[in-house]
Amino acid sequence: MLRAFSHTNGRCALRHGKRWHHRKSVLAIRREDVNAWERRAPLAPKHVKELTQMGYKVLVQPSNRRAIHEKDYVKAGGIIQEDISEASLIVGVKRPPEDKLIPKKNYAFFSHTIKAQEANMPLLDEILRQEIRLFDYEKMVDHKGMRVVAFGKWAGVAGMINILHGLGLRFLALGHHTPFMHIGMAHNYRNSSQAVQAVRDAGYEISLGLMPKSVGPLTFVFTGTGNVSKGAQEMFNALPCEFVEPHELKEVSRSGDLRKVYGTVLSRHHHLIRKHDGLYDPADYDKHPELYTSRFNTDIAPYTTCLINGIYWEQHTPRLLSRQDAQKLLVPVRSATGAMEGCPELPHKLLAICDISADTGGSIEFMTECTTIDSPFCMYDADQHIIHDSVEGSGILMCSIDNLPAQLPIEATEYFGDMLFPYIEEMLLSEGSEPLENQNYSSVVRDAVIASNGSLTAKYEYIQKLRESREYAQSLKMGNKKRVLLLGSGYVSGPVLEYLTRDSNVDITVASVMKEQLEQLTKKYSNVTSVHMDVVKHEEKLSSLVKKHDLVISLLPYSAHPLVAKKCIDHKVNLVTASYLTPAMKELQESVEAAGITVISEMGLDPGLDHMLAMECIDKAKEVGATVISYTSFCGGLPAPEHSDNPLRYKFSWSPQGVLLNTVQSATYLKRGEIINIPAGGAVLDSVTPMDFFPGLNLEGFPNRDSTKYAEPYGIQTAHTLLRGTLRYKGYSKTMGGFVKLGLINPDPYPLLSSTTPPLTWKELMCKLVGVKPPAEYHVLKEAVFSKLEKDKSQLEAVEWLGLLGDEPVPAADSIVGALAKHMEMKLPFGTGERDMIVMRNEIGLRHPSGHLEDKFIDLVVYGDNNGYSAMAKTVGYPTAIAAKMVLDGEIDAKGMVIPLTKNVYGPILERVQAEGIVYSTHSVIKQ
């Protein structure tokens, strides 16, 4: 009798046997009232007619907005009636208002609650309170997990019509009239047949060669093979089109026929590859999508005019396009010879994206909000990372309407009703008040029951857990304003403050001895207050400050961190620093754990990003069974090459004293299985090695501290080589070696430089250091210094250049190295408009289970901004700030001493620093 019931003979017989017993069962089609554009219904008159012929009563709430006229429902046997309380099953498309719900009924609609969507949780609460049984169309799936009730095709049809209309507008804004100007928005057509005719008319003009030649061949890429993609392709077929394989796209985009348009359908195997071997295995991908990456950005997107995206994105799966991808794709192409002002070429190939999935932050990372039928288009400017409501200006035209089928409401209703109708009767034959376990539902229907009898069903109990998790996180953020104490206002504080003050719910107190910097910061940031104090000398005041805050960030020298940590332990306040986890800090481990707080160290550049980049590579290697056999990491903060114009080839963008002391530290490393120990006192400067991985930079490197201690935390005890070092321009080590010879890098207390003693000149201090009785003639002192430097002319030139033989006063300090640091800070600052540079190179040697060897190279190069943040400030400050925010938001909740060696810590930070311009690259060399 009914085509729709042919899918199970047994069920069909059961229904026929029951139907006269349930002659008075009532179905209601509710009025859609959530959106002005929502003109659909879940069932069309033809479905109502079949139901009434089966003996069911069908009520239809009146609505002048519904696209199908009431008289058609009346003609089919429906009853137009406001009161639908006698219905046992109430069906709609979108959610009803909470105050319109009727207790203990069966409801079917798209609830948008399965991800614990915050906006719809009040609705779910009311459904539970009123003991309503909720069927969600989105969860009606077959045994393969494929949805059996959806509007997908019509989303594709409407989306394709819209983006063709949008292309006409975009081309016009770029200086080109095209046939697409005669295509309107989907809702401007009475039905899809009219739209098809409009598209065909445009296609006819294209076939006559009426597209401007300077725009070149047009290419359309369809992602996915489901109903959404098929619907879009159905409309695309009304154009003079030719479908090609993805690998052919490059050729046709350059030399294709302008009298047609080209399309390609993209499946997973066309662009997904396993990271370690470049292959695609569908079964493996389903299990481990995180092991794969997409080559869409390099193999497909550069040859795409318009992307029609019909795929949803899930966590841990590769995205199609990121913000960085968009920046590269929008680089202007070089204009060909002969292009004229009135006939311009396109600024770039990728012009438009129609994201039919409307999946914000999904496979198209920069699609962060949906457009609407009222305002269907926007432009994404990748350089500025902003979206503006226009079809003009630079960027990619975006269309991401989340209710596309509402533009073709009659056909969408009939299509959806055909899919829903086979399941209507079994939903209708039960009362919402009856126990769910007593219902004889098919698996398709039973698995779509979100709530019943006042509770979430077993399959959807996770919704409550999702809610609790989110609400807890929000309570941390919104309950009271989070209070952060920032100690230090030097180079790194700028990015830290800039990042944290983006959240108006974070109040920051900055404590520092630098009064002028504090005043500048409080003027710049409204939610920053300042305290002028010497943290180390005023312990009681520090303790009082710590007590009033939820988190402390210490940007002080590493020697001050144990003091700060003890105050945090006393008051149970979390702490974040960028410095090494020193032995003095490690001694506090038990106290930190007992206090139940989090103390994060090594969260800057080196240490910090070096750990994270290493662990990301090491963890991925271990996932594929590889063994780490060597690890080498060199990092340096340098002036940009054009500003390295002094004997040290160096300028200061962070603690000068730390830079100087680094040259007299001891060092230990592992080389080909042998432990190498370098004593303190400057011997590391004799262990300098040329670094030629960037030959144009003329770099050298020397070992830094104890590299061997990272074998265990990195989990690379198998490595025969383990070395971490410092990068400088060639000549730095030799110059610094001269200062060591002269005793200038001496951290021991030197009372003669105290602020309470008469000031010394550099000439007088140098006389004392080289054993010349003052006052001495300049040439006498110079000769003595030259002799102390073992007749090294370049080292002597550096001493003279810095004025260390002259009459300038030595800055007051606790030690000679402290005085030299202050002097160098004045002599070697970055000038206005000068910029610094960060260079990091990690080299990781791997042995794969197959026996072949692989060298992984990870490069990080970051330049400072002219008159903005230095590269050092960015690469230390942003990771520190991100980690602090993660602690505030509960993303990092481990107690005790933490350094960024685990994926839950380094993963989010590495992702987020890229949005701040800290971008790294990797490449491999495979050896047999």
Side-chain angles (χ1 to χ4, degrees):
M1 177 181 74
L2 289 176
R3 159 200 47 75
F5 290 149
S6 62
H7 54 293
T8 54
N9 291 334
R11 192 187 309 157
C12 193
L14 176 66
R15 291 174 176 174
H16 280 263
K18 285 186 175 182
R19 98 177 178 188
W20 297 112
H21 296 288
H22 292 271
R23 185 175 183 83
K24 293 185 179 179
S25 292
V26 179
L27 169 81
I29 300 174
R30 66 170 302 275
R31 175 173 53 246
E32 300 296 327
D33 42 21
V34 71
N35 183 288
W37 284 98
E38 193 47 81
R39 299 173 292 156
R40 293 172 289 176
L43 297 170
K46 65 177 180 177
H47 307 118
V48 171
K49 183 176 182 179
E50 293 194 46
L51 285 168
T52 57
Q53 287 177 347
M54 293 167 63
Y56 297 108
K57 183 178 181 180
V58 180
L59 305 178
V60 182
Q61 273 194 321
S63 174
N64 288 345
R65 183 180 290 147
R66 193 182 292 120
I68 299 177
H69 201 278
E70 290 176 359
K71 68 178 183 181
D72 292 320
Y73 282 104
V74 173
K75 187 176 180 180
I79 300 170
I80 308 300
Q81 183 174 305
E82 181 67 29
D83 183 4
I84 55 174
S85 59
E86 65 175 306
S88 59
L89 173 64
I90 300 170
V91 295
V93 176
K94 296 292 189 180
R95 53 158 288 171
E98 288 94 310
D99 60 358
K100 299 290 180 68
L101 292 170
I102 303 172
K104 299 185 178 181
K105 298 291 184 182
N106 292 307
Y107 274 84
F109 54 87
F110 288 107
S111 72
H112 300 296
T113 59
I114 60 173
K115 295 180 182 178
Q117 290 95 318
E118 188 172 6
N120 293 323
M121 289 302 96
L123 170 68
L124 183 59
D125 288 339
E126 195 62 22
I127 286 171
L128 294 171
R129 190 184 73 80
Q130 298 197 30
E131 299 183 17
I132 288 168
R133 181 172 298 144
L134 170 60
F135 302 94
D136 193 317
Y137 303 135
E138 190 172 356
K139 299 307 295 181
M140 296 180 73
V141 298
D142 62 18
H143 66 283
K144 295 181 180 179
M146 303 298 292
R147 290 174 59 182
V148 297
V149 179
F151 285 99
K153 172 189 172 181
W154 292 98
V157 170
M160 192 70 218
I161 298 168
N162 292 341
I163 200 62
L164 292 176
H165 169 70
L167 278 171
L169 300 176
R170 180 59 178 155
F171 276 127
L172 190 64
L174 293 172
H176 311 280
H177 171 79
T178 65
F180 298 121
M181 281 300 296
H182 304 305
I183 300 173
M185 289 288 289
H187 60 267
N188 292 140
Y189 300 103
R190 188 183 301 262
N191 52 47
S192 61
S193 296
Q194 285 192 351
V196 167
Q197 188 57 54
V199 174
R200 282 177 179 163
D201 290 344
Y204 177 69
E205 293 187 12
I206 292 173
S207 69
L208 294 177
L210 299 184
M211 280 293 292
K213 292 181 180 180
S214 58
V215 305
L218 303 186
T219 55
F220 293 75
V221 173
F222 300 85
T223 60
T225 56
N227 289 329
V228 168
S229 181
K230 290 175 182 176
Q233 292 172 52
E234 185 178 302
M235 189 56 59
F236 181 71
N237 280 323
L239 295 169
C241 62
E242 178 184 343
F243 278 88
V244 298
E245 289 298 311
H247 70 270
E248 299 174 306
L249 205 60
K250 181 177 180 179
E251 179 62 28
V252 298
S253 73
R254 294 175 175 174
S255 57
D257 190 343
L258 296 181
R259 294 169 299 177
K260 65 172 73 170
V261 295
Y262 294 90
T264 192
V265 181
L266 199 68
S267 297
R268 288 178 176 177
H269 69 275
H270 290 126
H271 68 104
L272 292 176
I273 59 169
R274 199 157 37 210
K275 295 174 184 177
H276 76 275
D277 62 7
L279 302 178
Y280 173 71
D281 180 336
D284 181 57
Y285 176 78
D286 288 338
K287 293 178 182 177
H288 302 290
E290 72 279 0
L291 300 182
Y292 287 73
T293 188
S294 171
R295 293 189 58 83
F296 179 83
N297 62 331
T298 56
D299 293 359
I300 307 295
Y303 316 110
T304 302
T305 306
C306 179
L307 168 63
I308 295 90
N309 183 41
I311 57 173
Y312 286 90
W313 180 77
E314 295 181 1
Q315 285 285 347
H316 310 303
T317 62
R319 285 188 166 95
L320 286 176
L321 290 174
S322 67
R323 175 191 174 188
Q324 288 74 27
D325 295 332
Q327 287 176 318
K328 294 175 183 176
L329 291 167
L330 295 190
V331 173
V333 297
R334 184 177 297 177
S335 185
T337 304
M340 296 179 289
E341 183 177 353
C343 305
E345 290 189 336
L346 299 178
H348 39 76
K349 185 65 179 178
L350 183 60
L351 290 185
I353 296 176
C354 182
D355 193 353
I356 300 175
S357 74
D359 188 14
T360 55
S363 54
I364 310 296
E365 183 185 31
F366 47 84
M367 199 288 281
T368 55
E369 56 185 72
C370 293
T371 57
T372 64
I373 298 175
D374 295 303
S375 301
F377 305 111
C378 66
M379 292 291 293
Y380 173 68
D381 185 331
D383 286 331
Q384 301 295 320
H385 192 43
I386 58 174
I387 295 172
H388 52 88
D389 295 327
S390 173
V391 296
E392 300 181 354
S394 61
I396 304 171
L397 182 76
M398 304 285 291
C399 181
S400 53
I401 298 168
D402 63 359
N403 59 338
L404 286 165
Q407 293 183 273
L408 296 167
I410 295 176
E411 288 158 297
T413 294
E414 292 175 344
Y415 175 84
F416 185 83
D418 286 345
M419 302 179 80
L420 175 62
F421 190 74
Y423 306 98
I424 282 290
E425 190 175 18
E426 59 180 296
M427 290 191 278
L428 184 56
L429 291 179
S430 66
E431 294 293 334
S433 58
E434 297 173 354
L436 179 62
E437 57 269 21
N438 294 347
Q439 307 309 312
N440 189 28
Y441 293 143
S442 65
S443 61
V444 171
V445 171
R446 180 174 294 277
D447 288 347
V449 179
I450 306 293
S452 183
N453 309 106
S455 301
L456 293 170
T457 58
K459 186 175 180 180
Y460 298 99
E461 288 175 348
Y462 72 86
I463 294 176
Q464 182 60 29
K465 294 178 182 178
L466 283 179
R467 291 182 69 179
E468 290 171 357
S469 176
R470 184 187 65 240
E471 288 165 2
Y472 174 72
Q474 288 178 338
S475 70
L476 291 177
K477 294 167 65 176
M478 304 302 292
N480 293 309
K481 282 204 168 188
K482 292 300 174 185
R483 297 159 299 174
V484 175
L485 174 61
L486 178 64
L487 302 177
S489 60
Y491 298 109
V492 176
S493 63
V496 174
L497 288 169
E498 188 276 325
Y499 188 88
L500 291 176
T501 54
R502 296 175 192 174
D503 185 347
S504 60
N505 203 45
V506 175
D507 281 340
I508 302 174
T509 302
V510 183
S512 173
V513 294
M514 301 184 214
K515 190 172 183 179
E516 290 184 7
Q517 289 183 354
L518 287 174
E519 291 174 352
Q520 292 172 0
L521 291 174
T522 53
K523 289 179 181 178
K524 186 173 182 179
Y525 300 105
S526 60
N527 50 344
V528 170
T529 56
S530 64
V531 176
H532 184 229
M533 63 175 286
D534 187 323
V535 170
V536 177
K537 292 181 179 179
H538 297 88
E539 286 192 38
E540 288 187 8
K541 192 171 183 180
L542 170 63
S543 182
S544 177
L545 276 175
V546 169
K547 184 178 180 179
K548 297 175 183 177
H549 292 81
D550 302 300
L551 174 76
V552 176
I553 301 172
S554 178
L555 302 180
L556 301 172
Y558 72 89
S559 58
H561 291 158
L563 169 64
V564 176
K566 289 174 184 176
K567 303 304 179 186
C568 290
I569 291 167
D570 291 343
H571 300 294
K572 294 181 168 54
V573 175
N574 297 321
L575 171 65
V576 176
T577 82
S579 301
Y580 279 103
L581 182 59
T582 60
M585 287 290 284
K586 287 182 180 179
E587 288 177 3
L588 302 174
Q589 171 78 25
E590 290 186 8
S591 299
V592 168
E593 292 176 355
I597 64 172
T598 302
V599 174
I600 300 181
S601 301
E602 306 193 10
M603 197 50 79
L605 167 67
D606 176 7
L609 289 176
D610 55 347
H611 294 330
M612 301 184 223
L613 292 172
M615 290 309 303
E616 182 181 52
C617 180
I618 291 167
D619 285 345
K620 288 180 179 179
K622 290 181 177 180
E623 288 175 2
V624 297
T627 302
V628 177
I629 58 174
S630 66
Y631 170 73
T632 304
S633 176
F634 278 86
C635 181
L638 305 162
E642 66 271 25
H643 303 310
S644 59
D645 51 350
N646 63 67
L648 274 176
R649 286 84 164 164
Y650 195 80
K651 293 183 179 180
F652 290 98
S653 59
W654 71 293
S655 170
Q657 187 163 330
V659 173
L660 297 176
L661 288 175
N662 192 40
T663 63
V664 293
Q665 299 276 2
S666 63
T668 303
Y669 62 95
L670 180 66
K671 183 176 182 181
R672 298 188 184 94
E674 180 185 359
I675 297 289
I676 309 295
N677 290 300
I678 301 175
V684 292
L685 299 174
D686 299 324
S687 303
V688 173
T689 304
M691 294 286 161
D692 59 357
F693 50 84
F694 292 135
L697 292 181
N698 199 19
L699 299 171
E700 63 183 26
F702 53 87
N704 185 13
R705 305 194 187 207
D706 183 1
S707 301
T708 62
K709 68 179 182 180
Y710 289 97
E712 183 176 345
Y714 279 15
I716 54 172
Q717 294 90 335
T718 53
H720 60 64
T721 297
L722 184 52
L723 171 61
R724 289 161 52 87
T726 299
L727 288 175
R728 294 288 184 260
Y729 288 123
K730 187 177 180 181
Y732 170 90
S733 298
K734 185 176 181 181
T735 301
M736 289 300 297
F739 298 151
V740 173
K741 292 174 187 176
L742 293 171
L744 289 168
I745 316 296
N746 187 344
D748 296 336
Y750 199 79
L752 290 177
L753 296 180
S754 168
S755 58
T756 60
T757 59
L760 287 176
T761 65
W762 279 108
K763 181 179 179 180
E764 291 170 333
L765 178 60
M766 290 300 294
C767 284
K768 293 180 182 294
L769 293 177
V770 298
V772 173
K773 186 177 180 180
E777 296 292 331
Y778 184 89
H779 72 276
V780 173
L781 176 60
K782 179 178 176 180
E783 186 60 34
V785 168
F786 190 41
S787 177
K788 190 81 170 178
L789 294 175
E790 300 170 355
K791 305 297 183 178
D792 191 303
K793 291 183 179 180
S794 64
Q795 291 179 339
L796 179 63
E797 288 173 2
V799 170
E800 288 188 290
W801 188 91
L802 283 169
L804 300 183
L805 304 182
D807 294 323
E808 189 174 342
V810 179
D814 295 329
S815 63
I816 295 175
V817 72
L820 181 64
K822 292 180 179 180
H823 183 72
M824 283 190 169
E825 189 171 13
M826 293 183 288
K827 292 289 185 179
L828 298 171
F830 282 89
T832 303
E834 293 185 343
R835 58 181 185 160
D836 69 332
M837 175 178 69
I838 292 298
V839 180
M840 182 188 292
R841 158 61 72 94
N842 284 354
E843 300 182 9
I844 302 176
L846 306 175
R847 176 179 286 112
H848 287 273
S850 61
H852 75 268
L853 303 179
E854 178 183 7
D855 285 338
K856 283 274 191 182
F857 302 97
I858 307 168
D859 294 319
L860 173 67
V861 179
V862 179
Y863 285 90
D865 303 323
N866 289 328
N867 302 316
Y869 297 134
S870 69
M872 183 65 74
K874 290 191 289 187
T875 53
V876 175
Y878 282 122
T880 300
I882 292 167
K885 191 67 166 62
M886 290 173 69
V887 174
L888 288 174
D889 293 346
E891 288 186 80
I892 297 176
D893 56 5
K895 304 306 177 187
M897 297 290 190
V898 176
I899 57 176
L901 301 182
T902 56
K903 190 173 183 179
N904 67 309
V905 176
Y906 71 68
I909 294 175
L910 286 179
E911 181 178 350
R912 292 170 197 177
V913 294
Q914 293 190 62
E916 310 305 329
I918 302 172
V919 181
Y920 57 94
S921 62
T922 63
H923 68 280
S924 295
V925 174
I926 305 295
K927 304 175 182 177
Q928 296 302 322

